[in-house]
Amino acid sequence: MSSRRRDLKIKQLEEELKRAQTGTICALSLLLDLKDLKTGLHATRLAEWAVRVAEHMGVGHEAIKEIEVASLLHDIGKIGVPDAILLKPGKLTKEEFGVVKKHPEYGWAILNSVPGLERTSLLVLHHHERFDGKGYPAGLSGKSIPLGARIVAVVDTFDAMLSNRPYRKGFSAGEVLERLEPEAGTQFDPDVLQHFFDITSRHLSEISQIREPDG
């Protein structure tokens, strides 16, 4: 096989792999919608906010793509959590919360099996780590937590607090920002949080529109 034909074949295979990967991402996103429509909507908003933060921080193009996919599919592991626990209207028991805490590992296992999503799967695995090392599943701290996971942690918490839940009404944008600020250096990377604040200060009217219906 000539060098030119070989290069064309490699390019063709790369394009086929990219199409297959994109199709897999779309299929998994659809699974989230089928599992729980609110989870899917939450993931879509998360991806938008995470990309804004990553761009504001000067993250490279390829890394931003990984962060976007990780944000979109950060909760894919919840398909392994029983609906009785996932959709429970009241407070979870210790045992039930233990089941929910497995979802980052489930998500990692799913995405790590998809060619090309191995690094993205690590962001999903660690999106519930805390900057002070008190998170899960690995108890990572500080900059040992992948940057994409640190970004997802901030925007995930922000959007969750804005949105209505069966057991509480969503907080206002101002209330959420006030609650996040003291967590700099404990739950969240202070640098990521500052970049997020810089962005949200310019989009408060847009943020105030975010509300999901009850029920």
Side-chain angles (χ1 to χ4, degrees):
M1 181 182 293
S2 68
S3 175
R4 183 171 181 276
R5 289 183 62 190
R6 184 180 64 250
D7 290 345
L8 287 174
K9 184 63 175 179
I10 291 174
K11 184 177 181 180
Q12 180 184 4
L13 291 172
E14 289 175 344
E15 290 175 350
E16 290 176 356
L17 178 60
K18 185 176 181 179
R19 286 196 296 271
Q21 186 184 96
T22 299
T24 301
I25 292 169
C26 291
L28 292 175
S29 180
L30 179 59
L31 275 177
L32 276 176
D33 283 339
L34 292 174
K35 180 71 172 179
D36 178 5
L37 180 59
K38 292 181 181 179
T39 298
L41 293 171
H42 165 65
T44 300
R45 287 196 301 268
L46 222 68
E48 294 173 355
W49 283 106
V51 167
R52 291 183 187 184
V53 174
E55 289 175 341
H56 198 267
M57 296 184 72
V59 174
H61 177 68
E62 287 302 316
I64 287 178
K65 288 170 57 180
E66 293 173 1
I67 292 169
E68 181 177 19
V69 175
S71 302
L72 188 63
L73 299 177
H74 72 289
D75 274 341
I76 189 63
K78 286 186 176 178
I79 65 174
V81 178
D83 286 348
I85 295 177
L86 187 63
L87 305 179
K88 184 178 178 178
K91 185 177 180 179
L92 299 179
T93 65
K94 182 178 179 180
E95 291 73 21
E96 289 170 336
F97 186 56
V99 174
V100 173
K101 287 173 67 175
K102 300 293 290 184
H103 81 270
E105 296 171 74
Y106 297 156
W108 169 82
I110 292 169
L111 297 186
N112 192 53
S113 66
V114 180
L117 295 185
E118 294 86 357
R119 289 188 299 183
T120 302
S121 71
L122 292 175
L123 307 187
V124 171
L125 177 65
H126 296 300
H127 77 276
H128 277 295
E129 306 286 358
R130 289 173 54 105
F131 203 71
D132 60 9
K134 297 179 180 180
Y136 62 90
L140 300 183
S141 63
K143 299 300 176 68
S144 65
I145 305 169
L147 175 59
R150 283 179 268 143
I151 291 175
V152 173
V154 171
V155 296
D156 184 22
T157 303
F158 175 74
D159 191 82
M161 292 177 71
L162 276 177
S163 304
N164 292 325
R165 291 292 182 264
Y167 49 88
R168 64 155 174 81
K169 298 287 289 184
F171 298 102
S172 70
E175 288 174 326
V176 175
L177 295 178
E178 288 179 2
R179 288 168 178 262
L180 292 182
E181 188 172 11
E183 298 298 328
T186 53
Q187 184 172 355
F188 306 117
D189 179 337
D191 188 39
V192 171
L193 196 60
Q194 185 57 58
H195 281 278
F196 180 71
F197 286 158
D198 290 345
I199 294 171
T200 53
S201 65
R202 301 196 300 269
H203 296 279
L204 284 178
S205 60
E206 175 185 341
I207 295 168
S208 65
Q209 302 299 316
I210 298 176
R211 279 292 184 278
E212 293 171 350
D214 296 317

